[in-house]
Amino acid sequence: MSTHLLLGLAGLGIGTLASMLGIGGGTFMVPLLLLSGLAPTTQVAVGTSIAGVTFTSLSSSIAYLRRHEVRVRLGLVVMPGALAGAWLGAHLSQRISSPGLAVGFGLFLLYPAGVMLLGRQPKELFSAGGHRRAHLALGTLVGVMAGVVRGLLGLGGGTVMVPALMLTLGLDIRAAVATSLFIMVPSAALATSRHALAGNTHWSLALPLIAGLLVGAQLGPRLGGKLPRRRLRQLFALVLLYAAANMILKGLGLR
């Protein structure tokens, strides 16, 4: 079986799972490219992966928009903050040491992961039905915080955004997943352009991955819509636990 066909099949599986959980798929694509030896460096793996993330988030956003599950107004409010936060996080990462922050954030992720693993809805710290201005201001703050964490610690956008939307704005798991992918589109596209200009994107690897991702990103929302919300929360909790473990190990210098 050719490498391109295998990458296409891998993209199909990753796109399905990523779009169902509201993540871009980089969590799976980067290790795949590195462990298979297809990407010579981590920079190339990340640069190639982020191109796939752009198309996963775009394709799945279209699918969720058709299902009327994206909170479009909220997403448009959060987008600028997420972009600004990602830039700020990347800027800070060059000036401060973040091992303690990585451990702290990893430990924080254990809370929503534990709650969702039990199949429950994370506690709503703020009411989503409050004053409109306060609601919009909170959405902007969520975007900035999620962007900073992403830029500073290298944590995937959806891994931060989905629990943030659930914890602070009280969104249901399906609405949080759909809105997270919608918010991810411009930041992923910006990151793709930066990596491509830096020569980190190998299009010979990215294109077959993208072909599979586009198909999988249409299947994920359908499958996610059929899963009980309890099971969807538990599935996402496993991704959060994986991310939390990576953050803690990274902060302790064990990874």
Side-chain angles (χ1 to χ4, degrees):
M1 192 177 291
S2 72
T3 300
H4 287 175
L5 180 57
L6 287 173
L7 284 172
L9 292 174
L12 176 64
I14 293 171
T16 301
L17 187 60
S19 60
M20 189 164 38
L21 299 178
I23 58 178
T27 305
F28 306 110
M29 281 185 279
V30 172
L32 169 69
L33 293 170
L34 285 174
L35 294 176
S36 65
L38 293 172
T41 65
T42 301
Q43 288 84 354
V44 169
V46 171
T48 303
S49 167
I50 197 67
V53 169
T54 301
F55 285 92
T56 303
S57 53
L58 179 60
S59 179
S60 53
S61 291
I62 293 171
Y64 279 116
L65 282 166
R66 288 173 178 168
R67 298 172 65 88
H68 306 289
E69 291 181 326
V70 178
R71 300 287 182 88
V72 176
R73 290 184 180 179
L74 176 61
L76 292 174
V77 168
V78 176
M79 271 182 192
L83 284 168
W87 178 87
L88 178 60
H91 180 71
L92 292 174
S93 68
Q94 299 174 6
R95 286 169 166 73
I96 66 173
S97 177
S98 58
L101 185 59
V103 173
F105 193 79
L107 292 173
F108 171 75
L109 283 182
L110 294 177
Y111 166 69
V115 173
M116 284 191 276
L117 197 59
L118 296 173
R120 298 174 183 171
Q121 178 83 358
K123 183 180 179 181
E124 296 179 11
L125 302 181
F126 299 89
S127 171
H131 194 277
R132 184 173 180 272
R133 288 186 179 178
H135 185 57
L136 295 181
L138 184 57
T140 302
L141 181 61
V142 166
V144 172
M145 291 178 64
V148 168
V149 170
R150 182 180 186 182
L152 186 60
L153 301 179
L155 198 63
T159 311
V160 180
M161 190 64 68
V162 172
L165 291 173
M166 295 176 71
L167 283 166
T168 60
L169 295 172
L171 265 64
D172 174 78
I173 179 67
R174 288 179 184 164
V177 163
T179 306
S180 169
L181 287 162
F182 177 67
I183 293 168
M184 203 182 300
V185 174
S187 58
L190 179 62
T192 297
S193 64
R194 291 181 64 181
H195 278 287
L197 290 173
N200 292 332
T201 305
H202 279 206
W203 292 106
S204 61
L205 301 176
L207 291 176
L209 265 175
I210 289 170
L213 289 166
L214 287 173
V215 177
Q218 293 297 311
L219 296 176
R222 296 183 182 182
L223 295 176
K226 294 178 181 179
L227 274 179
R229 284 178 171 80
R230 177 185 176 89
R231 295 287 177 245
L232 193 58
R233 284 194 289 267
Q234 290 172 331
L235 194 57
F236 186 79
L238 296 177
V239 175
L240 278 187
L241 288 173
Y242 173 75
N246 276 345
M247 287 294 101
I248 293 171
L249 291 175
K250 182 179 179 180
L252 295 175
L254 300 175
R255 179 178 180 274

